[in-house]
Amino acid sequence: MKKQLITLTINDQDYEVAITPMDILADVIRREVQLTGTKKGCGEGDCGACTVIIDGKPELSCLKLAIACQGKKIRTIEGIADPKTGELSPLQKSFLDHGAVQCGFCTPGMIMSSTALLERNPNPTKDEIKKALSGNMCRCTGFVLIVEAIEAYVNAKAESGVN
Amino acid sequence: MNILSDFNYYAPESKAEAFELIAKLGDKCKILAGGTDLLIMMKNGLIEPENIVDIGGIKEFAGIEMKDGKGGEIGACTKIADIENSAAVAGKYGALSHAAGEIGSPQVREMATLGGNSCHASPAAETPASLCAYGAKVVISSKDGDREMELKDFIQGNRQNDLKPGEVLTKFIIPEPKKKSACKYGHIGLRKAMEIDAVNMAVNIAVSDDGSVAEADLVMGSVAPRPLVLPDIKDILVGKKVTDDLAEKVGDAAQAAASPISDVRASAEYRKDVIRALAIRLVKEAYDAAKAA
């Protein structure tokens, strides 16, 4: 089938990509836009590695048609660090400081799910953190450290009094 | 894993446009709402539709409207997460709210829709049991107009529903719960997130002023090709106060009525045991909550 040109808005930047209707968002982000931070694990929506934030909500880019995402605001892991300096966000730093990254394959999805949670609920309880991450699998497995990293970030932010 | 068969993609912006398109394409199209089931089927090559009509962006098909004393209406394209997070739904239809929160993962719930969960007609779907226990009806629309039917009749078997070519499920109408009633939902699965239920069940009980059961409904999921309604519960409970013995009788009846299969998630034997235990627990929980209502 003939490819068609669509525009995807990813991390506040417009990308014109040539796709067919059957192209999956995760593939288009990785192959066409060349943002390879988003990972494709199971391809069936079970593992959460492909999580991106679409219009503020965490969604699975492996179960999304790219063509259906025109006009939506997509955020990937590349949009979390400072766009100018590339400096990691405090949440990302907390992951590193707490050893919450082992092989790293699940990390972008973990960061996207926890970012979506923290934007909706800046002071989550441990249970709320676990629930928000329940669709993200880590097979290394560092779940405990991942939860600790998010908790530490939340506590540090509460102590510093900055919202 | 990728989709290997190409298709035409349509994203109508209004109800009228969608009905025209779906009528024109007839059985040559599949309807896409949240995509969490449809895309997996396409990736697995189980279906190879020529045309996809994406109704997920049509605002008229989404929304929650809870009416004071007059039940509620939920648009078919309402996201599961919006139902899970709605205080109004939790207040009136607690079992539906509970079931919605048990679907897949947070990401799946942000994508999946209430209509999709029924239209996909998986025997293990989470929301049909509670919706049926509340007596929910579905509105099926086409360019020729609307028709209504009970959800329990709409779901006809494994992956089978009553939609004819040109039709689309647009709305759920849920009756007002009786005064002094409660509906409870429960399920058994292997883990908390991303599991597919081995058994799920909803029990809806209304009590009279003297504390005896006035109405009782029990609907099971994942134990038959379609949601299984247990009529026996009325004969066992109506007019009586629930005791341990009576709850166990409901458990026995539920166990006898169900015809579960053995699969990767559970053996038929285990499911039979769980059905009884779940029925006993939910009958007691619903009865106690109804008396306290």
Side-chain angles (χ1 to χ4, degrees):
Chain A
M1 180 162 285
K2 239 181 94 183
K3 290 197 173 188
Q4 43 189 298
L5 275 182
I6 64 161
T7 302
L8 292 178
T9 308
I10 305 176
N11 305 328
D12 292 326
Q13 214 174 314
D14 287 347
Y15 295 91
E16 206 168 68
V17 286
I19 59 149
T20 65
M22 67 181 187
D23 285 324
I24 296 294
L25 180 62
D27 295 328
V28 173
I29 290 174
R30 289 178 53 84
R31 279 205 309 256
E32 309 299 325
V33 185
Q34 307 241 314
L35 293 174
T36 52
T38 300
K39 303 301 182 215
K40 203 175 166 195
C42 67
E44 293 194 320
D46 283 327
C47 77
C50 68
T51 303
V52 297
I53 297 178
I54 302 179
D55 290 342
K57 307 283 173 64
E59 296 198 23
L60 301 162
S61 62
C62 80
L63 291 185
K64 199 91 188 169
L65 297 176
I67 199 168
C69 296
Q70 299 172 85
K72 297 182 190 294
K73 276 178 177 278
I74 302 166
R75 279 164 75 202
T76 68
I77 185 69
E78 288 87 352
I80 300 295
D82 188 303
K84 290 197 185 88
T85 62
E87 193 188 346
L88 295 182
S89 74
L91 178 65
Q92 287 174 307
K93 280 185 192 157
S94 188
F95 267 58
L96 289 184
D97 292 345
H98 289 82
V101 179
Q102 292 182 49
C103 86
F105 195 86
C106 73
T107 313
M110 292 284 180
I111 296 278
M112 298 318 284
S113 282
S114 41
T115 299
L117 164 72
L118 294 166
E119 285 174 357
R120 197 182 67 237
N121 173 7
N123 291 301
T125 62
K126 190 172 194 158
D127 281 347
E128 286 168 339
I129 294 171
K130 283 184 173 175
K131 193 176 175 198
L133 296 183
S134 59
N136 292 79
M137 287 200 189
C138 166
R139 293 287 85 153
C140 282
T141 162
F143 285 114
V144 172
L145 297 173
I146 292 167
V147 174
E148 279 177 15
I150 299 167
E151 276 188 301
Y153 164 79
V154 169
N155 292 340
K157 217 173 62 170
E159 271 170 35
S160 71
V162 185
N163 275 314
Chain B
M1 194 180 284
N2 286 311
I3 299 173
L4 296 175
S5 63
D6 219 333
F7 52 85
N8 300 306
Y9 173 85
Y10 302 94
E13 285 175 7
S14 71
K15 195 157 96 161
E17 201 187 323
F19 293 152
E20 274 304 323
L21 197 56
I22 293 166
K24 195 181 85 186
L25 297 170
D27 59 5
K28 299 260 185 295
C29 80
K30 277 279 175 191
I31 295 167
L32 168 66
T36 53
D37 285 317
L38 187 74
L39 260 69
I40 292 174
M41 291 180 80
M42 290 169 72
K43 284 182 169 199
N44 287 327
L46 296 174
I47 50 168
E48 296 185 344
E50 288 171 46
N51 301 286
I52 290 287
V53 179
D54 184 350
I55 60 167
I58 300 176
K59 290 197 173 64
E60 296 147 290
F61 290 162
I64 296 170
E65 197 188 343
M66 293 291 127
K67 301 171 180 176
D68 235 2
K70 288 184 183 160
E73 294 186 2
I74 301 180
C77 288
T78 307
K79 299 290 181 191
I80 295 293
D82 292 335
I83 294 167
E84 176 194 7
N85 296 327
S86 160
V89 173
K92 208 165 193 169
Y93 304 109
L96 173 62
S97 177
H98 181 182
E102 297 295 339
I103 291 181
S105 64
Q107 295 96 313
V108 168
R109 296 194 288 275
E110 292 292 358
M111 300 168 78
T113 65
L114 189 65
N117 201 224
S118 279
C119 285
H120 182 58
S122 160
E126 289 83 352
T127 55
S130 60
L131 283 166
C132 290
Y134 284 119
K137 283 186 186 157
V138 289
V139 178
I140 298 161
S141 309
S142 69
K143 76 178 181 38
D144 299 328
D146 293 343
R147 65 185 175 103
E148 286 181 18
M149 70 190 300
E150 301 258 345
L151 175 61
K152 67 179 168 60
D153 299 324
F154 173 75
I155 299 174
Q156 298 183 332
N158 185 6
R159 311 294 196 272
Q160 289 169 347
N161 61 45
D162 196 55
L163 287 180
K164 312 276 187 294
E167 288 185 329
V168 53
L169 174 64
T170 50
K171 202 194 286 180
F172 291 80
I173 300 175
I174 319 174
E176 177 73 12
K178 299 277 178 309
K179 283 194 177 109
K180 287 189 89 62
S181 76
C183 185
K184 293 287 174 186
Y185 174 81
H187 71 104
I188 303 287
L190 294 180
R191 62 194 288 268
K192 274 191 180 167
M194 282 316 297
E195 48 63 288
I196 294 174
D197 292 341
V199 173
N200 65 46
M201 191 182 292
V203 174
N204 194 357
I205 289 181
V207 296
S208 312
D209 289 337
D210 67 356
S212 64
V213 174
E215 283 180 39
D217 290 286
L218 185 155
V219 185
M220 295 177 257
S222 214
V223 304
R226 55 192 279 196
L228 186 65
V229 179
L230 184 76
D232 314 37
I233 190 175
K234 295 183 199 298
D235 301 334
I236 300 170
L237 294 185
V238 170
K240 295 173 195 148
K241 290 180 181 171
V242 171
T243 59
D244 286 356
D245 276 355
L246 284 181
E248 280 181 25
K249 273 194 183 150
V250 176
D252 293 338
Q255 196 174 33
S259 52
I261 56 166
S262 289
D263 64 12
V264 289
R265 288 183 282 280
S267 66
E269 191 187 4
Y270 173 71
R271 282 193 164 100
K272 281 265 194 187
D273 281 350
V274 167
I275 289 163
R276 184 172 186 276
L278 204 53
I280 294 170
R281 194 183 92 202
L282 292 175
V283 163
K284 289 182 187 170
E285 275 181 20
Y287 179 67
D288 289 344
K291 277 198 301 184

